[in-house]
Amino acid sequence: AEVLVTPIAIRGTRAILAPTRGWPRRGRIVVSVGHPIRPTGQDWVAVVELHHTVRSAIVAECDEPDLEQ
């Protein structure tokens, strides 16, 4: 089935959920909802392409470095 994928980025969680703390602290979280992305096909190449496209859209909104580059 050809289903649109909507990228959603959540900013601010790193400061609220710091790994050195046992409990979350107060802080601001911003949720950004991107434009829906249509898959280009149903084969494995299209799945990988969709993954990269959606991931790039999320990373662009996160204000964090892309650790996979």
Side-chain angles (χ1 to χ4, degrees):
E2 190 175 309
V3 178
L4 298 177
V5 176
T6 302
I8 299 175
I10 304 172
R11 283 183 276 166
T13 58
R14 189 173 306 274
I16 291 171
L17 302 171
T20 58
R21 290 193 172 88
W23 290 93
R25 66 179 204 163
R26 288 183 161 208
R28 182 175 176 216
I29 292 178
V30 177
V31 178
S32 300
V33 179
H35 297 287
I37 299 172
R38 184 177 305 280
T40 58
Q42 295 183 352
D43 62 347
W44 184 249
V45 172
V47 170
V48 172
E49 180 180 293
L50 179 63
H51 164 80
H52 290 301
T53 303
V54 172
R55 186 178 182 286
S56 294
I58 292 170
V59 168
E61 291 293 325
C62 281
D63 292 333
E64 298 243 351
D66 185 356
L67 301 178
E68 289 191 14
Q69 286 189 1

